[in-house]
Amino acid sequence: MPRRRPKTYKGIAASPGIHVGLVYLVDRRRMRIPKVHLSHDQIYKEQERFRQAVDRSIKRLEAIQAKLKSADDNEPVGIIEAHLMMMRDESMVEETLERIGKKAINAEWALQDVVGRIRKIFDAIEDDYFRERRSDVEFVGDRIMRTLMGRDEELHPPPHERAVI
């Protein structure tokens, strides 16, 4: 059987340096975001649905964090802690709730608007390190979005320790 030639991929760095290993692909294709205008009596229920999605997303990340801590793998734990801090950050959550209320739009649409606004702020930052943190904002928004849309599948750890995610 002929040996395959190695391929080189460039991705978004979660930590400094380079790593050589087997690829572990995580499918994060963009979702089609529904855009729904709400009646006045639907707003509170929609805001509550968003709060519950944030809470479920936090619980899922905390469970993943606990598994990594028990495996004594501290590098990803720090990344997950940063994502948890973003999910608990009132500005993202409160701004999304406010948009649902003021614009009378569904949670997915409101969250997409808020993440887009924050993404633009990060894009305007000249420092490369901070500009790259945009991917963290996108991950957090995507995680909550998947929970809202019922696509919050469990992330499984890579099948081998030399995996490049």
Side-chain angles (χ1 to χ4, degrees):
M1 184 167 162
R3 188 173 167 103
R4 286 192 258 168
R5 300 182 105 193
K7 293 182 182 179
T8 302
Y9 296 94
K10 184 174 180 175
I12 299 170
S15 59
I18 61 170
H19 184 78
V20 176
L22 300 172
V23 173
Y24 177 67
L25 181 63
V26 178
D27 184 12
R28 305 308 278 177
R29 282 180 246 167
R30 295 280 181 225
M31 294 171 285
R32 191 173 184 90
I33 307 301
K35 294 186 176 184
V36 180
H37 290 279
L38 307 172
S39 63
H40 182 71
D41 60 329
Q42 295 174 308
I43 291 173
Y44 176 78
K45 188 175 181 180
E46 190 67 4
Q47 289 171 324
E48 190 56 33
R49 188 173 77 87
F50 177 72
R51 284 186 190 97
Q52 290 173 0
V54 171
D55 288 344
R56 280 194 313 273
S57 297
I58 288 171
K59 284 183 176 107
R60 285 189 181 264
L61 273 184
E62 286 173 338
I64 293 168
Q65 184 182 44
K67 284 181 187 177
L68 290 170
K69 280 182 179 177
S70 68
D72 209 24
D73 193 355
N74 290 327
E75 187 177 334
V77 170
I79 295 168
I80 291 174
E81 186 60 41
H83 291 168
L84 285 167
M85 285 172 46
M86 287 180 179
M87 282 186 190
R88 292 180 180 124
D89 178 39
E90 288 186 21
S91 62
M92 180 189 264
V93 172
E94 290 303 316
E95 187 176 343
T96 303
L97 291 168
E98 189 177 300
R99 283 189 193 228
I100 293 168
K102 285 186 176 178
K103 292 186 170 186
I105 58 176
N106 63 312
E108 293 89 347
W109 190 358
L111 178 61
Q112 181 183 42
D113 283 354
V114 171
V115 170
R117 186 192 66 74
I118 295 170
R119 186 182 312 124
K120 286 179 186 174
I121 292 169
F122 275 89
D123 284 345
I125 296 173
E126 289 186 27
D127 185 287
D128 287 340
Y129 173 80
F130 286 108
R131 195 170 48 238
E132 288 178 11
R133 299 296 55 91
R134 167 188 154 165
S135 64
D136 294 323
V137 173
E138 289 173 336
F139 176 87
V140 168
D142 187 61
R143 183 112 173 80
I144 297 169
M145 187 69 73
R146 287 180 180 281
T147 301
L148 280 167
M149 297 179 71
R151 295 184 182 173
D152 56 344
E153 67 276 351
E154 187 66 37
L155 287 178
H156 300 285
H160 44 81
E161 65 183 39
R162 292 191 39 122
V164 176
I165 300 174

